[in-house]
Every structure is written in structure tokens, then in C-alpha cells.
Amino acid sequence: MPAQPGESPLRSVGFRWLMLFRICTLLSYQVAAVTVGWHIYELTRDPWSLGLVGLAEVIPFFCVAPFSGYLVDHLPRRKLGAAACLGLAINAGALALIAHGALPTSALWPIYAAVAVGGVGRSFLGPVYNALFARVLKREQFGRGASMGSVVFQAGLVLGPALGGVLVGVAGKSVSYGVAAVFAVAAALALLRMRVTEPAQTLQRGPVFASIAQGMRFVASNQIMLGAMALDMFSVLLGGAVSMLPAFIKDILHQGPEALGVMRAAPAIGSICVAIWLTRHPLQRNAGRILLFAVAGFGLCTIAFALSRHYWLSVALLVAYGMCDGVSVVLRSTILQLVTPDDMRGRVSSINSIFISSSNELGAFYDGTMARLLGLVPAVMMGGFVTLGVVAATARLAPRLRKLDLRELH
């Protein structure tokens, strides 16, 4: 049952099960991703083969995401999410058998095929999470709930890669894949244990493409939501620095590989800190202005990071970078929950997932291309300045977002 408006979201049993689902899916995905990267590189010793891993996942994700959102809006959400999790578990199990030699193959395509299947399964997780989020909390709790969800998300980004690396090093690839499968099964069980009512609209059927187009029209016509999504997508796509960390560590900061783990964790640590703060002090007034200032701070931190030549200063800048991104994540998640009608949460969430995946996956490709054309430091600096331009353009073109007060959306 949903918690009462004045209560902490954690008093809702359904919300606790939902957070368990989220952390387990994140850990499953991150452990498997680290293991696949190690597995592929161990077989090929070719960096290009690592780039193909991201491509193998993002292409099926983009193709399936609109339809996964439609299914989340028209089928029982818990069962659909549990089925997706079990698919991820079977997939990880198959990879474990390949790594162990029980399914002998010298070709790489079965591994890439498994990554592609994982991308299909992952396309359901975001829409299921966002749709169920609104069923276990009252609207007045969405801000604090989004902050707690961000804490869980960032914790998964810190713990998952670390756990995957340790498992591969200590127990081997097959055990690491097996642990990823266990986490996926745990996520499915968390959904099945959740007691939540499904809205009546999910039982209705309609034309698939017309229904998907309805969700796209809703996002395109809502200036607040479209502005928040576009602001996040273009800032991370054009101004992100995380994908270039290995090059900065080796060529600019002259540190060893152990520094990579610290610097990769630094943005997530910043995001966790700000998300914990926002669980106790949820934003309401001037939310739009705060969002714009946070993304501007993201761009400034990117520029300063590019100019830094001191390791610990760079780490501190990445923490600040993550704090600014954390404000953006929490506010965008809150806006998504408050603005979206319940019968469209799956479709709108799938569109949001496409925005996020575009910024993360394609952003890494863009960063690498610009670094090759302009040089490492100029490329990252330019990304920071472009982010500032995106903020200025959004403030001008989306005045409703700039003037947003979250109390008006309750």
C-alpha cells in the first residue's frame, strides 16, 4: 500500500521492494558489463572490440524501447518486469557456461548476441521502475522518493563495477556471470513479492504504433518535460568527461591504473551526497532555476577538470561534477513522475530512457571523435562551453521550465 504523504517513503513496504528491485538490477547489469568487457578483451586484445560491446547493446535497446514502454502501459507491470529480469538471468547463465567452457565456442558472436539480448531486457527495467514508483508513493512523496532512488542508483554504479572486478579477479569470469544471474533472479522475486494495484488502463489494448505516437506527442507538447530531458541529454552528450578518464589519467595526470577506480567513483560519490541531502530537503521553489544552475555548474566543472594538472584537484572537481549531475537527475525524475499521467508512464519512461542512453552511449563515441580531431584537453573544454550554451538556449526556449515551481505540479 502507498505510504501516507507525511511519512518517509521508506515506510512504504512497496517502495522498499522497489528499491531492492532497482539495486539488484543495477548490480546484475554492472557485474555482467565489467565481466563481458574483460572477457572480450582477454580473447581479442583489441580495444575496438570493446567499442562493439556498447554498440551491440545500444542498437537493440533503441529499437525495442518504444515497444517496451507500450507493453508496460498495457500489461501487468510486475509480471512484465519479473519476466525481463529472468531473461537477464538466463542470459548471464549462458555467458557463464561459455566462460566455463561448457558451451565451447571460439567465435565472439555468441557473446555479442548475449549483450544484444541484455539490451532488449534492460529496455523494460526503466519503464517498469517508473510506472511502479507512482503506485507505491503519494504525489507529495515523489521528490523524496526520487532522491532515495538516485542514492540507490548511484550506489549501484559504485558497487557494481567494483564487485564485478573483484569477482573476475578472485573467482573467475564464470562465477562473476553467475553472481549477475543471481542478482537478476533476486530482482524478479522483489517485484513478485510487491503488493501494488495495477491501474485499470493497463488492461486495455490499443493500436501499437498509435499508442507509441501518443506518448511521443505528449512529451513533445510538454515544454517542462521535454526541456528537462533535452537539457540532460545534450549536456551529458556534449559535455561529459568520464569516458575520457583513462586518457587523462595516463597522459595528463600521469597516474597508474589504480587511479581510474577512484576517479570513476568520484562523480557517483558526489551524486550520492547530493541525493541524500535532497531526501531531507526536497526542492520545491525555484526548481527550474536550480536545475539550470546545476547543469551550468556541470559544464564549469568539465572545463576546470580539463585544465587541472593535479590528481586530487581533478578528483575533487569530479565530485562536484557528480553533485551537479545529481541535482539534475533528481529534478528530472521528479518532473517525470509528477507530469506523466499514470496510463502513459511506460511509454514516457521509455522515451526518457532513450534520451539517457543517447547521452551516455553516444556521448562516449562523440567524446572520442572530438578528442581525435581537436586533442584531448581542447575537446573536453569545448564540451563544457557547449554545455553552457545548451543551458542558455534552454532557459530562453523553455520559459516554463525556467520558472518551474514543483508545488504547482502536485
Side-chain angles (χ1 to χ4, degrees):
M1 294 296 292
Q4 297 303 311
E7 295 179 341
S8 166
L10 290 175
R11 292 181 65 86
S12 166
V13 175
F15 183 76
R16 295 199 297 269
W17 282 117
L18 187 62
M19 290 301 100
L20 180 60
F21 160 75
R22 187 168 217 197
I23 190 64
C24 286
T25 54
L26 281 164
L27 291 175
S28 176
Y29 170 73
Q30 293 292 334
V31 169
V34 168
T35 311
V36 164
W38 185 270
H39 193 175
I40 288 286
Y41 194 73
E42 193 175 53
L43 292 173
T44 66
R45 301 293 179 181
D46 182 6
W48 174 245
S49 64
L50 295 177
L52 294 178
V53 172
L55 195 63
E57 180 177 14
V58 76
I59 290 176
F61 181 92
F62 280 173
C63 294
V64 174
F67 299 96
S68 64
Y70 169 84
L71 291 174
V72 169
D73 281 338
H74 291 80
L75 294 174
R77 294 159 175 175
R78 292 185 307 114
K79 294 180 180 178
L80 190 62
C85 290
L86 291 176
L88 293 177
I90 294 171
N91 203 44
L95 285 168
L97 293 175
I98 292 174
H100 190 262
L103 293 177
T105 176
S106 58
L108 294 178
W109 70 262
I111 302 176
Y112 286 121
V115 171
V117 172
V120 172
R122 196 166 66 89
S123 70
F124 287 89
L125 302 182
V128 167
Y129 170 80
N130 284 302
L132 291 174
F133 182 98
R135 305 301 298 177
V136 297
L137 295 179
K138 298 289 186 180
R139 291 178 65 85
E140 293 83 355
Q141 297 176 306
F142 284 178
R144 294 179 70 188
S147 298
M148 292 179 181
S150 180
V151 171
V152 170
F153 180 80
Q154 297 297 338
L157 294 185
V158 173
L159 296 175
L163 178 59
V166 170
L167 287 170
V168 171
V170 173
K173 298 184 294 294
S174 57
V175 172
S176 188
Y177 284 130
V179 171
V182 170
F183 278 126
V185 171
L189 293 175
L191 283 184
L192 295 175
R193 289 294 304 271
M194 185 187 300
R195 295 292 177 261
V196 62
T197 58
E198 298 278 2
Q201 291 87 341
T202 59
L203 300 179
Q204 299 174 0
R205 303 296 177 93
V208 176
F209 289 101
S211 182
I212 293 172
Q214 182 185 18
M216 293 180 176
R217 285 195 299 270
F218 175 80
V219 172
S221 65
N222 190 295
Q223 186 182 107
I224 293 174
M225 180 180 294
L226 181 62
M229 287 184 182
L231 181 65
D232 180 82
M233 183 186 77
F234 285 112
S235 62
V236 177
L237 174 64
L238 302 174
V242 173
S243 63
M244 294 293 103
L245 285 182
F248 269 93
I249 289 171
K250 183 176 180 180
D251 299 334
I252 305 297
L253 301 173
H254 306 294
Q255 297 290 321
E258 68 280 357
L260 179 60
V262 175
M263 297 189 79
R264 284 296 298 263
I269 291 170
S271 294
I272 289 172
C273 290
V274 78
I276 291 173
W277 169 264
L278 291 176
T279 60
R280 301 298 300 271
H281 306 87
L283 296 173
Q284 296 288 337
R285 298 179 58 188
N286 300 317
R289 290 188 178 89
I290 292 172
L291 175 60
L292 292 169
F293 279 122
V295 178
F298 179 89
L300 291 173
C301 289
T302 300
I303 296 169
F305 174 79
L307 294 172
S308 172
R309 297 297 180 269
H310 301 283
Y311 173 66
W312 288 111
L313 174 60
S314 297
V315 171
L317 287 168
L318 287 175
V319 172
Y321 169 104
M323 293 177 72
C324 293
D325 186 51
V327 173
S328 174
V329 168
V330 170
L331 282 176
R332 189 186 71 249
S333 299
T334 305
I335 291 169
L336 178 71
Q337 293 294 346
L338 290 173
V339 172
T340 308
D342 199 64
D343 63 329
M344 297 179 66
R345 291 189 184 278
R347 283 162 287 172
V348 172
S349 179
S350 69
I351 295 170
N352 181 59
S353 297
I354 292 173
F355 273 71
I356 294 171
S357 292
S358 296
S359 61
N360 291 330
E361 304 291 346
L362 299 181
F365 175 76
Y366 169 84
D367 291 341
T369 302
M370 295 307 294
R372 186 166 190 174
L373 293 174
L374 302 177
L376 182 60
V377 172
V380 174
M381 285 185 62
M382 189 185 76
F385 283 114
V386 171
T387 298
L388 297 178
V390 169
V391 173
T394 303
R396 180 176 179 81
L397 297 175
R400 290 190 62 196
L401 177 63
R402 185 181 71 244
K403 300 174 183 178
L404 176 64
D405 185 326
L406 288 179
R407 294 174 298 180
E408 298 173 358
L409 301 180
H410 286 298

